[in-house]
Amino acid sequence: MVELYRNYRDAVVSSGVENAMDIVVKVMSTVLDRILLQFEEPFTFGSHHKRMVEPYDYYTFGQNYVRPLLDFRNSYLGNLKIFDQIEKNLKEGHNVIFLSNHQTEADPAVMALLLEHSHPYLAENLTYVAGDRVVLDPFCKPFSMGRNLLCVYSKKHIHDVPDLAEMKIKANAKTLRQMTILLRQGGQLLWVAPSGGRDRPDPETNEWVPAHFDSSAVENMKRLSDIVRVPAHLHALSLLCFEIMPPPVQVQKELGERRAVGFSGVGLAVSEQLDYDSIAKLVDDSKNAKDAFSDAAWSEVNDMYNVLKEAIYGDQGCAVSTDSLRLEQPWFDGSRRTD
């Protein structure tokens, strides 16, 4: 807790914001109080968790914690018109699934903060397919309680403790049934990280890059969206925010990782709807089609990530926009493009 406080304090102070220490004390006193509560009265997540805003507003709690860490002057949202269409599709009862990279424990708050000015409906109604770490670690749980979650055990770690493997498999099956029920209702917005974990730096270049997707995870979401017989739209979603709360360089199985915190620009971008049939026509069998679709989704994520990286770290800003990716800053009045 002491380390978390110091890291958060240093990050907020480095932002140059006025009254930085007042913000730190106000935010961190609340955060530490809510973390301690998880040791005294642990909350248990079900397979489907709906964000808690009463009697305590955990959604706003999470937003207030991450907001001072974002350099909005150097942050970007990509393809607002596609987000417009996604919101329209949802309100018409369609399902939308984001196939995304995953950078930090703060990803849900970062996405919501970037969307809340132009698309608050998406920010508040997004459901995250979340691994067990964020619903078991007392330092994560208060933030997770403010998000809509479908809770799963990562395939990478199901057999870490052999005696628990059967329980984890059954829990995942229960979550899958709950996901099916939600998708049959329609109007669901799901976020999935098919890589199965957070991005890490490339060992050769030390550059942070989107981890490759597990094609079976992508195929499962595609198949499930087809089975429920409700119109569904799959989009690639790219997120760049690793400096806000970078994970340990090496994947660790144990809970209780050290938490670095930083102040940085961030970015979020969405692709056009992914067209499975067009991609499948280019390959000769169903297995290759599955892999090709997964690769195409990851390539979209990676391409958008590189544009966001150039905008944020290459001092190019919105000028780095391409024909397929328009970057904007809708949190600044009058900044949204109409062309």
Side-chain angles (χ1 to χ4, degrees):
M1 284 188 174
V2 172
E3 182 182 46
L4 177 63
Y5 169 80
R6 288 173 176 166
N7 290 344
Y8 187 83
R9 176 199 63 196
D10 293 347
V12 176
V13 170
S14 74
S15 73
V17 67
E18 189 176 350
N19 300 322
M21 283 306 301
D22 291 340
I23 295 171
V24 170
V25 171
K26 181 178 179 181
V27 170
M28 286 305 298
S29 62
T30 306
V31 167
L32 298 180
D33 179 63
R34 289 291 145 179
I35 291 173
L36 283 170
L37 186 62
Q38 287 308 307
F39 287 95
E40 297 170 355
E41 302 174 16
F43 179 80
T44 301
F45 290 82
S47 58
H48 177 217
H49 172 78
K50 294 185 179 180
R51 68 186 186 128
M52 298 171 63
V53 295
E54 293 179 348
Y56 185 82
D57 190 345
Y58 281 95
Y59 175 80
T60 300
F61 159 79
Q63 299 297 92
N64 289 343
Y65 173 70
V66 175
R67 183 178 283 108
L69 303 176
L70 268 58
D71 181 0
F72 283 99
R73 297 163 300 180
N74 193 31
S75 296
Y76 304 93
L77 186 62
N79 287 339
L80 271 72
K81 289 186 177 180
I82 299 178
F83 282 118
D84 290 342
Q85 184 61 47
I86 287 170
E87 184 168 331
K88 179 175 182 291
N89 289 337
L90 290 169
K91 291 179 177 178
E92 291 177 353
H94 298 196
N95 294 318
V96 176
I97 298 172
F98 288 145
L99 302 174
S100 176
N101 67 314
H102 178 22
Q103 295 239 294
T104 76
E105 292 175 335
D107 286 3
V110 172
M111 287 186 274
L113 286 166
L114 292 178
L115 288 168
E116 68 179 4
H117 296 271
S118 58
H119 298 86
Y121 181 85
L122 302 184
E124 296 171 11
N125 288 280
L126 186 52
T127 297
Y128 304 86
V129 178
D132 57 304
R133 182 177 294 272
V134 298
V135 298
L136 294 177
D137 190 327
F139 278 70
C140 294
K141 289 170 71 172
F143 302 100
S144 300
M145 290 162 70
R147 306 293 163 185
N148 301 309
L149 303 177
L150 285 161
C151 304
V152 299
Y153 288 92
S154 171
K155 188 170 73 172
K156 290 181 178 179
H157 301 296
I158 279 184
H159 296 283
D160 286 351
V161 182
D163 291 345
L164 298 179
E166 184 177 354
M167 178 277 292
K168 293 179 179 180
I169 292 170
K170 289 181 178 179
N172 282 356
K174 183 178 180 181
T175 299
L176 183 60
R177 290 194 295 271
Q178 185 63 57
M179 189 185 300
T180 304
I181 292 171
L182 290 174
L183 291 174
R184 281 183 175 145
Q185 293 173 359
Q188 303 298 317
L189 177 60
L190 301 185
W191 176 91
V192 182
S195 66
R198 288 171 286 180
D199 301 334
R200 295 299 200 283
D202 184 303
E204 295 184 0
T205 66
N206 207 34
E207 292 280 334
W208 290 79
V209 293
H212 283 275
F213 289 173
D214 178 346
S215 61
S216 63
V218 174
E219 175 65 13
N220 286 342
M221 296 309 303
K222 171 68 173 60
R223 185 186 301 115
L224 187 59
S225 66
D226 291 339
I227 288 173
V228 299
R229 299 185 182 279
V230 173
H233 311 269
L234 276 68
H235 295 260
L237 189 77
S238 189
L239 178 65
L240 192 162
C241 64
F242 62 87
E243 285 195 317
I244 296 297
M245 208 174 294
V249 174
Q250 300 297 326
V251 177
Q252 63 183 61
K253 299 177 182 178
E254 300 80 11
L255 298 180
E257 66 187 52
R258 300 184 66 181
R259 288 180 167 86
V261 181
F263 173 76
S264 176
V266 298
L268 179 70
V270 67
S271 75
E272 293 281 4
Q273 179 177 344
L274 298 166
D275 188 342
Y276 183 87
D277 291 337
S278 295
I279 296 168
K281 287 178 182 177
L282 303 177
V283 294
D284 53 8
D285 60 52
S286 59
K287 182 183 185 304
N288 288 338
K290 178 185 76 171
D291 293 339
F293 184 68
S294 179
D295 289 345
W298 178 85
S299 292
E300 288 280 359
V301 169
N302 193 54
D303 290 346
M304 293 187 293
Y305 186 90
N306 287 331
V307 175
L308 291 171
K309 184 168 66 174
E310 188 66 21
I312 296 169
Y313 297 109
D315 298 325
Q316 296 295 309
C318 293
V320 79
S321 297
T322 66
D323 290 341
S324 60
L325 178 54
R326 302 293 298 276
L327 300 182
E328 302 179 47
Q329 295 179 305
W331 37 90
F332 294 134
D333 290 341
S335 71
R336 182 164 185 182
R337 302 179 182 182
T338 58
D339 57 325

